[in-house]
């Protein structure tokens, strides 16, 4: 994309302004951007507008954008458009309401999309058990491979026990 | 008594304090940004009760403070002592804090997230801070239903905190790296490996008195331990670099360095008007003087205390009234003179 002002150099500064729900975009090269009075470089760089600018660059076609902007969280009423303005989600259910778009964003800012840290004991009860079952199954396979059958039987029983426990919880 | 200001910890010649902050939210309430005043009161109550009624050991150790009931100056002092964030103080009508006796643990309620557990210790003690924050988190979780997603971890109001919700940080005093100009290279390197460097009052503030706060930026896809180990590793390297820079300065420019330190000390002991900027700058230089063994009559703890007591909120709290900036500058100079003399 070329700079909208000089039409010579490539546009490297992309500015999106949302004022009273009206969005204007500006694409300039660095030199023109510095001269432009429309861009206030004094404004402190906050995480909010950083997020907003990331979100803008993720969007694909204008029609899709309108549809996504209007997507609403049933629980708190936050729209995707509002989230973009605030840089903050309205509730934990927003994560499911905007999941598709959010995952892309999260992957971009965090470089990852899978939590591997602490799991709460209560809320994460079944998650813990499932993780543990996965781990035991790996050990079971190993035991079978090395023909440690006595150990395998113990592991199998433990897996069954945990699976029953999981069923009861659900 | 505020532990991080008055206590001393490992490597406290360079690392002033270590902090762990965990962001948590309740499943059944909208995030604070979308909460009405009456629902925020419910959150305040739910979280306080979880800590104060659930655990008898903690009940005796914590005070529950509703910020609306605290005078504005007191709120400012809490911010200056880094026990609450400026954001929490600004939203005082909806927020609160649970504070333990030695003020090493503060649990902010209705900040950007419903719960922000903060553990703040003097010196380089990130593991200890994590252990404490982790335990408090367990206690709260026994009573509360956290918003948690199997894939994304702890759900937070801002996607930059999702996952572990952890922010680990150290506040460092790096005058020699600043004087020798190495600081920029270090800041760049820290940025490249996912660490953020800020002024002491958080995002968007400038570096006052050579104080730098270094913290992790990413919260998802790595464990709490990895995040902390990474920060510890870098902090250790920066400590080493600062010590090297100090000894180089000392051997190459001893006279200049001593001159600078004694002059700064002289101004602090005699000035009648001190702005907060100048005061921080001079205190920073005096602090190096103490660390290098040039100044022997003042202690580091004393300097830490003066750094906090000369902030605008604290000065006005001592005066028990609002002060103009000129009045503050005069009172600041008086306080510094008295404090330094009392240490002699």
């Amino acid at each position: 994309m070329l700079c909208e002002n000089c039409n010579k150099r490539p546009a490297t500064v992309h500015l999106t302004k949302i004022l009273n729900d009206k969005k204007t975009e500006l694409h300039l090269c660095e030199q023109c951007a510095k001269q432009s009075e429309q861009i206030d470089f004094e404004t402190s760089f906050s995480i909010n507008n950083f997020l907003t600018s990331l979100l803008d660059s993720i969007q694909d076609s204008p029609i899709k954008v309108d549809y996504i902007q209007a997507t609403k969280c049933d629980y708190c009423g936050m729209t995707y458009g509002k989230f973009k303005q605030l840089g903050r989600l309205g509730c934990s259910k927003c994560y499911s309401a905007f999941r598709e778009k959010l995952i892309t964003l999260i992957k971009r800012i965090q470089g990852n999309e899978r939590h591997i840290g602490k799991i709460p004991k209560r809320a994460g009860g079944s998650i813990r058990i499932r993780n543990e079952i996965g781990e035991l199954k790996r050990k079971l396979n190993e035991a079978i491979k090395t023909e440690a059958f006595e150990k395998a039987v113990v592991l199998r029983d433990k897996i069954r026990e945990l699976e029953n426990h999981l069923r009861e919880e659900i | 008594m505020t532990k991080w200001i008055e206590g001393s910890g490992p490597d406290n010649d360079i690392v002033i304090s270590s902090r762990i902050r965990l962001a948590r939210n309740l499943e059944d309430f909208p995030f604070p940004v979308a909460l009405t005043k009456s629902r925020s009161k419910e959150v305040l109550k739910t979280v306080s009760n979880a800590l104060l009624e659930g655990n008898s050991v903690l009940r005796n150790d914590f005070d529950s403070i509703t910020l609306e009931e605290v005078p504005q100056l007191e709120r400012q002092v809490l911010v200056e002592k880094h026990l609450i964030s400026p954001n929490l103080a600004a939203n005082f009508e909806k927020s609160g804090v649970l504070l333990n006796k030695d003020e090493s643990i503060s649990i902010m309620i209705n900040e950007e997230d419903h719960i922000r557990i903060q553990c703040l210790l003097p010196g380089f003690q990130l593991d200890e801070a994590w252990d404490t924050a982790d335990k408090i988190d367990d206690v709260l979780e026994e009573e509360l239903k956290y918003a948690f997603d199997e894939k994304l971890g702890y759900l937070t109001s801002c996607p930059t905190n999702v996952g572990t919700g952890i922010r680990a940080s150290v506040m460092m005093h790096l005058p020699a790296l600043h004087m020798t100009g190495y600081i920029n290279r270090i800041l760049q390197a820290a940025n490249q490996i996912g660490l953020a460097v800020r002024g002491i009052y958080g995002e968007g503030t400038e570096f006052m008195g050579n104080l730098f706060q270094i913290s992790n930026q990413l919260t998802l896809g790595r464990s709490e331990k990895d995040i902390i180990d990474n920060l510890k590793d870098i902090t250790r390297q920066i400590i080493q670099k600062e010590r090297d820079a100090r000894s180089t300065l000392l051997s190459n420019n001893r006279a200049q360095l001593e001159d600078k330190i004694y002059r700064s000390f002289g101004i602090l002991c005699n000035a009648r008007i001190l702005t907060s900027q100048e005061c921080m700058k001079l205190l920073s230089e005096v602090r190096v003087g103490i660390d290098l063994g040039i100044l022997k009559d003042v202690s580091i703890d004393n300097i830490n205390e003066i750094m906090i007591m000369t902030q605008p909120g604290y000065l006005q709290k001592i005066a028990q009234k609002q002060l103009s900036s000129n009045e503050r500058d005069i009172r600041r100079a008086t306080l510094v003179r008295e404090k330094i003399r009392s240490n002699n």
Side-chain angles (χ1 to χ4, degrees), chain A residues 66-127:
Chain A
D66 282 343
Y67 164 71
I68 292 161
Q69 302 279 50
T71 312
K72 202 168 171 177
C73 169
D74 287 338
Y75 185 74
C76 70
M78 174 80 76
T79 60
Y80 193 72
K82 185 87 192 289
F83 161 61
K84 269 187 52 189
Q85 268 176 286
L86 287 174
R88 304 276 183 276
L89 293 158
C91 70
S92 57
K93 319 278 185 298
C94 288
Y95 277 92
S96 355
F98 313 135
R99 190 148 199 120
E100 200 189 325
K101 275 282 144 184
L102 267 182
I103 293 286
T104 325
L105 170 72
I106 287 170
K107 220 169 155 179
R108 257 176 110 138
I109 36 183
Q110 299 273 1
N112 218 308
E113 51 174 329
R114 178 132 217 128
H115 175 61
I116 55 165
K118 186 173 177 176
I119 295 171
K121 285 184 197 80
R122 234 161 55 115
S126 57
I127 304 167

Side-chain angles (χ1 to χ4, degrees), chain A residues 89-90 95 110 115 118 122, chain B residues 31 134 137 141 151 156-157:
Chain A
L89 293 158
Y95 277 92
Q110 299 273 1
H115 175 61
K118 186 173 177 176
R122 234 161 55 115
Chain B
F31 293 150
D134 187 29
D137 183 40
E141 197 240 317
K151 203 173 168 201
T156 49
S157 178

Side-chain angles (χ1 to χ4, degrees), chain B residues 8-16 171-176 179 209-211 239 242-243 245-247 250 254 257 261 282-304 307:
Chain B
S8 51
D11 299 299
N12 80 334
D13 52 333
I14 292 165
V15 184
I16 296 184
M171 201 212 287
M172 304 183 83
H173 184 228
L174 305 172
M179 275 182 229
N210 292 317
L211 295 176
I239 292 175
E242 170 70 19
R243 287 200 178 127
R246 287 183 189 184
S247 60
L250 204 55
R254 186 167 190 116
L257 194 64
I261 289 164
L282 297 170
L283 286 170
S284 165
E285 271 153 24
V286 166
R287 203 174 201 281
V288 189
I290 302 167
D291 289 340
L292 294 177
I294 295 171
L295 289 174
K296 296 204 173 57
D297 296 335
V298 208
S299 74
I300 286 284
D301 297 348
N302 198 3
I303 295 296
N304 283 353
M307 276 183 173

Side-chain angles (χ1 to χ4, degrees), chain A residues 29-90:
Chain A
C29 66
E30 218 174 308
Q31 269 157 291
C32 293
K34 272 182 193 152
Q35 287 158 7
S36 164
E37 285 175 359
Q38 293 196 59
I39 304 177
D40 183 5
F41 278 98
E42 299 303 313
T43 328
S44 72
F45 175 83
S46 80
I47 193 78
N48 290 21
N49 33 65
F50 175 62
L51 277 179
T52 316
S53 65
L54 265 181
L55 283 163
D56 284 326
S57 60
I58 294 169
Q59 289 159 358
D60 324 302
S61 75
I63 304 157
K64 212 174 158 193
V65 169
D66 282 343
Y67 164 71
I68 292 161
Q69 302 279 50
T71 312
K72 202 168 171 177
C73 169
D74 287 338
Y75 185 74
C76 70
M78 174 80 76
T79 60
Y80 193 72
K82 185 87 192 289
F83 161 61
K84 269 187 52 189
Q85 268 176 286
L86 287 174
R88 304 276 183 276
L89 293 158

Side-chain angles (χ1 to χ4, degrees), chain B residues 54-172:
Chain B
N55 192 304
S56 57
V57 182
L58 294 176
R59 182 176 51 216
N60 297 326
D61 202 34
F62 275 86
D63 285 324
S64 170
I65 303 164
T66 309
L67 283 191
E68 205 177 16
E69 292 161 10
V70 172
Q72 191 259 334
L73 276 179
E74 292 278 341
R75 291 199 294 268
Q76 202 179 334
V77 170
L78 288 171
V79 174
E80 287 168 3
K81 287 159 118 186
H82 300 280
L83 300 174
I84 65 172
S85 66
N87 188 17
L88 194 86
N91 282 318
F92 65 91
E93 286 179 320
K94 293 180 173 182
S95 61
V97 62
L98 294 160
L99 210 55
N100 73 336
K101 296 273 183 286
D102 69 6
E103 299 185 344
S104 60
I105 308 167
S106 58
I107 303 166
M108 288 178 252
I109 309 171
N110 291 332
E111 217 264 7
E112 186 181 294
D113 296 295
H114 292 138
I115 304 171
R116 288 203 160 177
I117 303 165
Q118 174 182 282
C119 183
L120 184 58
L121 296 175
F124 191 20
Q125 302 193 70
L126 277 173
D127 285 330
E128 292 78 358
W130 159 245
D131 281 346
T132 308
D134 187 29
K135 279 194 192 99
I136 295 287
D137 183 40
D138 288 343
V139 170
L140 288 175
E141 197 240 317
E142 269 177 39
E143 304 292 320
L144 303 169
K145 217 161 141 201
Y146 280 164
F148 185 84
D149 177 87
E150 177 162 5
K151 203 173 168 201
L152 292 173
Y154 294 93
L155 301 178
T156 49
S157 178
C158 183
T160 50
N161 293 314
V162 79
T164 53
I166 198 175
R167 194 75 67 210
S169 59
V170 283
M171 201 212 287
M172 304 183 83

